[in-house]
Amino acid sequence: MSAPDHRLTAEDLLSAATGLLAAEQDPLANMANLSALIFEALPDLNWAGFYLYRADASALATIFTLTGSTVPSGQPVTAQRLTEAQSDALLVASTRGELVLGPFQGRVACTRIAMGKGVCGTAALSRATQRVPDVHAFPGHIACDTASASEIVIPLVLSGRLLGVLDLDSPRKDRFSSADQHLLETLVAAFLATLPVSA
């Protein structure tokens, strides 16, 4: 599957994304439309989409034990209530989760990615953008699509909590520039700004 030939400028892409996000409150719908918009707007992509962070049961148990919380399921514990030692333990607990495939455009993708594995798992674990000019030189790269040659992954972090990552792949080496990184991080920030702090 290839993206259409029509491309948008960076300004047009930000404007279109802002319009989409203002018109809809459902995060899943917004992720689906952002994936499609990015895939249409940026040249030389073979995949654009989201992976969502899911903590495993033992990590969730650790989180609630650390806080002594009885917060009902589905309502997150805020980092502001944790001591420094608890925050450190919470970070360790969060490494036991995984990334699960979310809305995307492109070929069939890997469904689950362990924290710290591949470019997506590394971005999620480090909570830092990973811009990889040659994925074949990246230790532990996960080849969901063998056509991919370069990749950029931006973590989705809201109020100190990891929600997932935005992942873009290209069949061209060194496809993603620092300007692309800035643009995509701006798009992610705009998306995160639409979410309630308790999302």
Side-chain angles (χ1 to χ4, degrees):
M1 172 183 252
S2 297
D5 290 333
H6 177 69
R7 304 295 179 205
L8 301 175
T9 66
E11 295 77 20
D12 290 339
L13 176 55
L14 285 172
S15 177
T18 301
L20 282 173
L21 294 170
E24 179 54 56
Q25 294 182 2
D26 186 272
L28 194 62
N30 282 332
M31 284 186 281
N33 269 335
L34 282 176
S35 299
L37 183 62
I38 291 167
F39 195 69
E40 284 186 25
L42 299 181
D44 299 320
L45 296 184
N46 60 319
W47 205 89
F50 292 87
Y51 279 91
L52 307 176
Y53 174 70
R54 298 291 184 250
D56 70 10
S58 62
L60 289 173
T62 301
I63 290 167
F64 287 106
T65 299
L66 286 172
T67 61
S69 175
T70 57
V71 176
S73 176
Q75 295 184 358
V77 176
T78 60
Q80 291 82 3
R81 296 194 324 207
L82 302 178
T83 66
E84 185 176 338
Q86 288 173 324
S87 292
D88 290 343
L90 178 58
L91 182 59
V92 170
S94 72
T95 66
R96 293 199 298 262
E98 63 185 348
L99 297 171
V100 179
L101 183 64
F104 73 93
Q105 296 285 314
R107 294 182 179 221
V108 172
C110 300
T111 305
R112 295 176 185 270
I113 298 174
M115 294 293 285
K117 302 298 182 186
V119 182
C120 286
T122 299
L125 187 60
S126 67
R127 298 182 181 202
T129 296
Q130 302 294 307
R131 183 162 45 103
V132 181
D134 181 359
V135 294
H136 304 293
F138 188 90
H141 168 64
I142 300 169
C144 296
D145 182 351
T146 57
S148 294
S150 61
E151 186 170 5
I152 186 168
V153 181
I154 297 92
L156 310 176
V157 179
L158 181 65
S159 300
R161 293 184 306 111
L162 177 69
L163 302 181
V165 299
L166 171 63
D167 178 24
L168 277 66
D169 290 15
S170 173
R172 181 166 60 90
K173 285 186 180 179
D174 205 16
R175 159 63 185 87
F176 302 103
S177 66
S178 58
D180 291 322
Q181 178 175 337
H182 177 72
L183 172 64
L184 294 165
E185 288 173 344
T186 302
L187 285 174
V188 163
F191 168 68
L192 292 173
T194 68
L195 302 177
V197 174
S198 62

